[in-house]
Amino acid sequence: TSLFSRFDLNTSQRTAATEALGDSPMYLILGPPGTGKTKTSVAIIAQLAHQIATKGLTEKILVCGPSNTAVDDLTLKLHKAGVKDLTRVYSCSKEKSGKMNPEIADLTLSSKIKAMSSELERLKNSPSTNPRQYKALKISLENQVLQQSRIICCTCSTAGDGRLDNIVFKNVFIDEAAQSIEPETLIPLTFGAQKVILAGDHKQLGPVITCDEVKNAGLGRALFERVMSIVKHTMLDCQYRMHPLIAEFPSKTFYQEKLTTHSSVLE
């Protein structure tokens, strides 16, 4: 609870955080627009990491989302909240392109392995290097960094690119879970997940599917939406983004009139 007060959570955010960290193997956080879903997510992941460390366990947390933007945002906020032992893993193609978020450059797997060994850069730039030697060193360094990290952040699909294959993640947090198709959401759950927390909102933009065959096969629906009716969940019910007259429509149409407006936006 000490950590939650540090994040200044409101009643529904605190309920969501407490319940998500309870005994349920799977928990959903429904976050309508402007209700502080990311803030609540950061508080939950920080508290979970704190609990694991306090118990002296070496359990890891896998933090995922469907897009690089969502994962970058969460990674940056976790870092700003003082969460330690955090590594951001980009896909190999993204690493090659160099189009990574500069604000979290020091937290990336690629920059951490460079910092660990000057040999790697030397091998990479030397014309006489045996490519296998370079690859072996790179894999060995990556494994070291990943083993030492308590929290690993990547997109759902990057989780399946082989680099995490030998790591067990008992705790998995997936942000924007209502925007990713079900097979994609399942990838992070294949590393020994025992506690899964999904945050999202199936009343907003769903997974973008351009193939009719895939849509007709039922893959247009997110896992988040499919399990909504059978899994414990909390809706964050106080929004800070819209004038109440604007919030009235989504509240009535999508959220059973349960969405309230914080006094700070009444004007």
Side-chain angles (χ1 to χ4, degrees), residues 5-57:
S5 52
R6 195 182 98 201
F7 286 102
D8 188 29
L9 302 183
N10 66 30
T11 312
S12 67
Q13 290 169 344
R14 195 178 279 255
T15 303
T18 311
E19 292 280 324
L21 292 169
D23 296 332
S24 304
M26 189 180 229
Y27 200 84
L28 268 52
I29 294 163
L30 174 60
T35 53
K37 179 173 66 66
T38 306
K39 181 184 181 178
T40 311
S41 302
V42 170
I44 289 169
I45 297 163
Q47 177 69 7
L48 185 56
H50 176 71
Q51 282 176 0
I52 293 169
T54 315
K55 289 177 187 161
L57 299 170

Side-chain angles (χ1 to χ4, degrees), residues 113-265:
I113 62 171
K114 275 180 196 158
M116 270 177 86
S117 165
S118 52
E119 176 74 357
L120 190 69
E121 280 299 284
R122 193 186 66 73
L123 283 177
K124 187 180 180 181
N125 300 320
S126 159
S128 60
T129 297
N130 175 343
R132 282 162 81 179
Q133 189 188 0
Y134 170 74
K135 199 175 176 187
L137 178 61
K138 187 169 184 256
I139 290 172
S140 147
L141 291 170
E142 283 178 344
N143 282 336
Q144 279 180 56
V145 172
L146 295 171
Q147 291 296 348
Q148 286 161 10
S149 308
R150 194 181 288 281
I151 301 173
I152 290 172
C153 307
C154 63
T155 59
C156 295
S157 50
T158 299
D161 78 1
R163 287 174 290 177
L164 306 182
D165 281 1
N166 305 320
I167 306 175
V168 174
F169 291 97
K170 286 187 180 174
N171 308 285
V172 180
F173 189 101
I174 302 179
D175 192 23
E176 300 295 1
Q179 280 184 30
S180 75
I181 60 169
E182 191 160 336
E184 189 182 18
T185 314
L186 293 174
I187 298 168
L189 310 187
T190 58
F191 299 96
Q194 292 179 9
K195 181 164 205 56
V196 177
I197 302 167
L198 306 178
D201 181 6
H202 59 299
K203 300 292 185 186
Q204 291 183 60
L205 181 70
V208 178
I209 305 234
T210 48
C211 170
D212 288 338
E213 241 178 295
V214 171
K215 218 177 245 170
N216 297 336
L219 290 176
R221 186 166 56 159
L223 178 73
F224 185 94
E225 187 176 356
R226 188 163 73 84
V227 299
M228 190 79 201
S229 57
I230 50 172
V231 169
K232 286 172 87 173
H233 61 271
T234 298
M235 179 177 116
L236 305 178
D237 59 17
C238 180
Q239 66 88 20
Y240 298 78
R241 192 178 290 167
M242 302 169 260
H243 187 280
L245 290 175
I246 300 172
E248 200 177 314
F249 169 73
S251 183
K252 274 187 177 153
T253 316
F254 304 115
Y255 307 109
Q256 290 99 43
E257 298 192 25
K258 289 179 183 161
L259 198 59
T260 61
T261 297
H262 190 258
S263 56
S264 61
V265 272

Side-chain angles (χ1 to χ4, degrees), residues 77-107:
K77 286 180 174 154
L78 283 166
H79 178 60
K80 284 185 172 165
V83 177
K84 299 272 183 280
D85 301 330
L86 191 67
T87 299
R88 168 72 167 101
V89 179
Y90 282 100
S91 67
C92 299
S93 57
K94 194 92 173 158
E95 277 183 10
K96 282 196 182 90
S97 74
K99 290 179 184 164
M100 300 179 282
N101 188 328
E103 286 191 276
I104 49 174
D106 294 347
L107 302 172

